[in-house]
Every structure is written in C-alpha cells, then in structure tokens.
Amino acid sequence: KIWDASTHQCLATLKGHSGSIYSVSFNKDGSKIVSGSEDTTIKIWDANAHECLATLHGQSRTVTSVSFNLDGSKIITGSRDKTIKYWDVRSKKCYKKINLNEPPKEIC
C-alpha cells in the first residue's frame, strides 16, 4: 500500500507479489518503487500510475532488502539465499553477485 503521510490515507494498493513483502524503496525523485518479497522476486513499480513495470527473477530465497542507487539506474538486493545482487534498471539484468556467509541484514 502507498500511504499519504500527512493525511494517513491509503492512496493505492500495489498488487503483484504472491508472498509477503519484506522491503520497499523509492528512487530519488519518487517516480519508482522497488519491492522485495518472500516469493523471491523483485518488482519495479511506477509510483504514480501504481503499475508494475518489471519483475526481476534471480534470487532463490526471500528478498529481504532492496534499494535504488542515487541516480536510480541500479537496484541492490539482499536475500536469504546469502547473496547481494546488483541489477541494471534499464536492462533488468543482474550484473554483479556477491556471495556471503550469512544472509545480509539490510541494504542501504
């Protein structure tokens, strides 16, 4: 759900994930949202039209943390599969993977 912080009103409900959502992040200008879910997918949303623009596949367990980089051209995800992945927003492809000894706590 997208909420108006000043009026406390629900502006929209984004539907698309089949599991619980663990993390969301807006890009710098607020035009896009990225979400990570228990269903192992990452979704990129149009924050104004409330539509899913893309679904990224490649994590094998719950996606627990998502974040845009400063210019919004990249997404970084962390998963219970003990990886951090870097995604190009334009191509929707993972271009870098870091294997960890344990799941990451949070990506900022």
Side-chain angles (χ1 to χ4, degrees):
K1 294 187 183 274
I2 299 176
W3 297 86
D4 183 310
S6 60
T7 65
H8 309 289
Q9 297 292 322
C10 179
L11 301 176
T13 300
L14 305 179
K15 295 183 180 180
H17 284 292
S18 62
S20 298
I21 296 171
Y22 278 71
S23 182
V24 297
S25 180
F26 281 87
N27 67 346
K28 187 176 180 180
D29 70 7
S31 64
K32 290 188 178 79
I33 301 167
V34 62
S35 57
S37 173
E38 181 180 49
D39 66 10
T40 75
T41 66
I42 300 106
K43 291 192 179 280
I44 303 169
W45 305 86
D46 181 311
N48 299 311
H50 310 132
E51 296 176 345
C52 182
L53 301 173
T55 301
L56 309 179
H57 300 273
Q59 306 282 182
S60 61
R61 301 207 44 209
T62 300
V63 179
T64 57
S65 190
V66 296
S67 184
F68 282 100
N69 70 338
L70 285 178
D71 70 9
S73 65
K74 311 289 188 233
I75 293 170
I76 304 166
T77 62
S79 170
R80 288 190 179 153
D81 65 9
K82 301 180 185 176
T83 64
I84 293 174
K85 291 190 175 184
Y86 293 77
W87 304 82
D88 181 78
V89 171
R90 180 173 289 167
S91 71
K92 309 201 183 26
K93 303 281 185 199
C94 175
Y95 67 91
K96 184 176 183 179
K97 175 182 171 184
I98 299 172
N99 293 305
L100 306 170
N101 292 324
E102 60 185 49
K105 301 288 185 224
E106 188 171 338
I107 305 287
C108 297

